[in-house]
Amino acid sequence: MYTAFTELSPVMQAFLAGLFTWGVTALGAALVFLTKSFSRKALDVMLGFAAGVMIAASFWSLLAPALEMSEHLGRWSFVPAAVGFVLGALFLRLVDMLLPHLHLHNPIEHAEGLPSTWQRSTLLVTAITLHNIPEGLAVGVAFGAVAADLPSASLAGAMALALGIGIQNFPEGTAVSVPLRREGFSRMKAFLFGQASGMVEPIAAVIGAAAVIWAQPLLPYALAFAAGAMIFVVVEEVIPESQGSGYGDLATMGVIAGFTLMMTLDVALG
């Protein structure tokens, strides 16, 4: 199976990796078929774990390769990574300002973005979808970098990133479907909403892979762009949500565990 995967085009590899990360989101959402409630303590730890994975992936899988690819610039080698990182954060900030969405556990009156008449369920799914845009881009850019035949990019490293992103998508699916079930949604409807947040990942992965293959000089900027977008999501949403219910210490240990796992995957496999 691995040999067959290596023979695929980078864009198809990115698409399949995006399908995998979406599938893990759906797996997390499927917990709604087993329970109507879910421990807030466990959810906060899982969200912390997701944040740790995203932070580690942002450096080892994205920023570090971006810096390595720019070494030929000498003392200015930081420029592509710095510019891409800032642009990624600004892009997510713009989307955050415009797209109506609602953070977990907040009343609908606290919905962010432009005013809308969307239902609470739609706003929740939109918020989680914001997470998945930079994650899908990161996976796609990683596979696109392999196509560029750069020493700092490897297929194993791209697969490790997809695996790490997939693992941290599990609690995101759960974080949408279970609260919706508590609010009276049927199990099937709650599941469908929960998994829907991951649908954007295969699309974003294909866009990321195709973009860097088409414009290889932009690769370090693209890697750093994905990193900046992910760090924005972590700081603006994931960590605050994990710290808001009195289980901050446990959630912090979840961050440490997620960071350590992603670092291990990237270094060991990449």
Side-chain angles (χ1 to χ4, degrees):
M1 182 178 294
Y2 178 80
T3 302
F5 185 79
T6 60
E7 294 175 351
L8 297 173
S9 70
V11 173
M12 181 55 68
Q13 290 173 345
F15 177 68
L16 292 177
L19 287 180
F20 165 75
T21 58
W22 176 19
V24 181
T25 304
L27 193 62
L31 285 184
V32 75
F33 292 111
L34 303 178
T35 179
K36 187 175 180 178
S37 61
F38 196 80
S39 166
R40 181 62 196 271
K41 180 190 297 185
L43 183 58
D44 286 351
V45 173
M46 292 167 72
L47 288 172
F49 179 87
V53 169
M54 294 172 74
I55 293 170
S58 295
F59 178 74
W60 268 278
S61 297
L62 300 170
L63 281 177
L67 290 167
E68 187 176 342
M69 292 173 194
S70 305
E71 287 180 348
H72 64 282
L73 298 176
R75 64 189 300 177
W76 299 102
S77 60
F78 67 90
V79 171
V83 171
F85 189 81
V86 171
L87 288 178
L90 289 176
F91 170 74
L92 254 292
R93 173 55 181 156
L94 180 62
V95 174
D96 190 65
M97 290 172 57
L98 298 178
L99 190 64
H101 62 284
L102 179 67
H103 295 288
L104 292 172
H105 313 299
N106 284 349
I108 195 168
E109 298 81 35
H110 292 174
E112 300 180 10
L114 295 176
S116 77
T117 57
W118 293 0
Q119 294 182 346
R120 175 180 172 82
S121 56
T122 304
L123 292 169
L124 283 172
V125 172
T126 304
I128 299 298
T129 301
L130 286 177
H131 292 195
N132 295 334
I133 293 174
E135 293 167 11
L137 285 174
V139 170
V141 168
F143 280 97
V146 177
D149 198 25
L150 295 166
S152 55
S154 69
L155 181 59
M159 293 176 69
L161 174 61
L163 178 61
I165 294 296
I167 291 171
Q168 65 90 38
N169 274 359
F170 187 90
E172 291 184 355
T174 306
V176 176
S177 65
V178 173
L180 291 180
R181 175 60 179 155
R182 283 202 305 267
E183 292 180 13
F185 282 66
S186 69
R187 284 187 169 88
M188 179 55 70
K189 189 172 182 180
F191 166 75
L192 291 175
F193 272 105
Q195 62 83 36
S197 62
M199 292 176 65
V200 71
E201 294 210 8
I203 300 171
V206 168
I207 292 173
V212 299
I213 292 172
W214 176 69
Q216 289 189 14
L218 295 179
L219 183 53
Y221 294 92
L223 287 165
F225 181 95
M230 283 215 291
I231 292 298
F232 178 90
V233 168
V234 169
V235 177
E236 197 269 343
E237 185 170 342
V238 182
I239 288 181
E241 286 175 359
S242 72
Q243 298 282 328
S245 303
Y247 304 111
D249 289 341
L250 290 174
T252 300
M253 294 309 298
V255 174
I256 299 301
F259 186 97
T260 303
L261 175 64
M262 187 64 228
M263 176 180 65
T264 302
L265 286 174
D266 191 86
V267 174
L269 300 180

